[in-house]
Amino acid sequence: VSRLAAMLALVLVVTVIMGLALGRGAAGFQGSLAPQRPDPMAGPGAKQQVRGPSERIRVMTYNIKSYLADEQIGSFRLIAREVALHDPDILVMQDAGRLSELWRGDPKVAGSIFTGREVYTGGEYIVVSRHPLHDCRLGDISFGAQGHAYVRCTVVANGVEFDLFTAHFLSPRDGLNAARYERAQGVGDWQRNFNDRLAQAHKLASDASSRRRPLVVAGDLNAPETSPVIRALLRSGLRDAFATAGLGYGYTYGHALRPGFSFLRIDHILVSPEIGVLDCFAGGARASEHRPVIADLLLRRNPA
């Protein structure tokens, strides 16, 4: 009995607790025919050919930690190489303020990322798109007395319109450090940090719930899928692209810490039910403290 209990506990840890995803198949549109299943021999980064009245797009979210990249020679080149490797149709970046400044001052610095694409910059965020963008603006995810914003745009992909949100929630680092080093005295700081992130999630979920078009939410949300922070967004009708169509753990953070490997999935792409998910995976670890997340999505075209 004890051995069986130990085995069951191990299975629970390596699946539910560690966030194992086995959703490699394609997920169809709500109320419509499912798209063609991807070719399993094409590899995780390959773009799939899909038949039917749909628009296929690749979305990539990337916290590039530009203030750190600015201190290391060649870091922006590595970021550009990672972006080029995955060739997204839509790229959203967080912690990208320094890259915005460099791009405005010297377009050659990030020319390979921005050339031939529409670009919107706002605060720490950059949105880069092959498709037309309009109505881009900052949204509010403030908490307490602390002002904080996200970016929202409407994208038009060959006649198909959808909304795009990119957000960067408050880091739990300060709360974790307080609980770690101050013991009982730090628990209050940790609880306040959690409440602030949850308040951000509820504000973003409220905006997501009022949408009139299909929606993609992408960014560094600083919480795993099992957290109440992400659950607040999932309750608004969104679903996690990696949990839907990813394979494995999809960890995006941790490789810059002492263990030296990624062990948390805190960067996410979430989609509304009208959007199909063909594939989702995490990118490389060299260019940033965060691996990017890349998702191949399907938008249903309106009949001609």
Side-chain angles (χ1 to χ4, degrees):
V1 175
S2 60
R3 288 183 179 179
L4 178 60
M7 289 179 63
L8 291 175
L10 179 60
V11 170
L12 181 66
V13 168
V14 300
T15 56
V16 177
I17 295 176
M18 293 179 64
L20 178 66
L22 298 173
R24 188 60 177 206
F29 309 105
Q30 186 181 69
S32 70
L33 294 176
Q36 188 182 42
R37 190 178 181 87
D39 179 1
M41 302 301 292
K47 294 189 175 183
Q48 307 291 342
Q49 297 298 318
V50 179
R51 302 184 185 92
S54 59
E55 184 66 29
R56 182 197 175 286
I57 60 168
R58 172 165 286 190
V59 175
M60 176 173 174
T61 181
Y62 203 1
N63 182 336
I64 64 170
K65 294 288 184 185
S66 64
Y67 60 91
L68 295 178
D70 196 33
E71 299 173 355
Q72 302 175 14
I73 296 174
S75 289
F76 285 118
R77 185 168 62 251
L78 290 175
I79 291 169
R81 187 178 302 165
E82 185 71 23
V83 171
L85 175 65
H86 303 295
D87 191 25
D89 299 301
I90 298 170
L91 167 67
V92 294
M93 291 182 280
Q94 307 85 42
D95 268 345
R98 184 58 182 144
L99 181 59
S100 273
E101 296 170 8
L102 291 173
W103 174 56
R104 292 190 186 100
D106 183 1
K108 293 181 180 178
V109 172
S112 63
I113 296 176
F114 299 110
T115 299
R117 291 165 170 80
E118 293 205 11
V119 181
Y120 174 81
T121 63
E124 66 168 274
Y125 303 102
I126 302 178
V127 179
V128 186
S129 176
R130 281 196 176 97
H131 302 289
L133 301 172
H134 67 86
D135 197 25
C136 289
R137 63 193 188 276
L138 296 178
D140 180 46
I141 48 171
S142 300
F143 50 91
Q146 181 71 41
H148 203 80
Y150 73 97
V151 162
R152 55 188 299 167
C153 293
T154 298
V155 185
V156 184
N158 295 331
V160 182
E161 279 195 336
F162 67 97
D163 289 331
L164 172 71
F165 294 0
T166 180
H168 184 190
F169 286 173
L170 178 69
S171 171
R173 185 180 299 109
D174 290 344
L176 288 170
N177 286 338
R180 177 182 178 185
Y181 295 112
E182 299 175 25
R183 304 290 181 178
Q185 292 82 1
V187 173
D189 289 339
W190 160 247
Q191 186 63 50
R192 281 188 292 274
N193 178 281
F194 171 76
N195 289 340
D196 288 341
R197 287 184 288 123
L198 193 58
Q200 290 185 298
H202 283 148
K203 285 194 171 185
L204 195 64
S206 177
D207 286 355
S209 297
S210 63
R211 63 186 173 81
R212 294 178 297 170
R213 287 175 284 265
L215 173 63
V216 175
V217 177
D220 175 7
L221 304 182
N222 267 315
E225 187 187 355
T226 53
S227 165
V229 173
I230 304 302
R231 291 297 176 187
L233 291 166
L234 299 181
R235 283 195 298 272
S236 73
L238 301 173
R239 71 188 190 282
D240 184 272
F242 187 82
T244 300
L247 178 65
Y249 297 103
Y251 294 148
T252 62
Y253 186 77
H255 49 274
L257 303 179
R258 185 171 297 175
F261 56 87
S262 301
F263 58 89
L264 290 170
R265 185 163 68 86
I266 61 175
D267 301 84
H268 301 270
I269 296 176
L270 311 177
V271 300
S272 63
E274 306 91 339
I275 298 176
V277 185
L278 279 175
D279 196 8
C280 188
F281 56 96
R286 285 192 65 196
S288 172
E289 290 185 356
H290 289 251
R291 294 174 184 265
V293 177
I294 303 96
D296 291 326
L297 307 178
L298 285 172
L299 304 171
R300 183 168 52 190
R301 290 179 185 157
N302 294 324

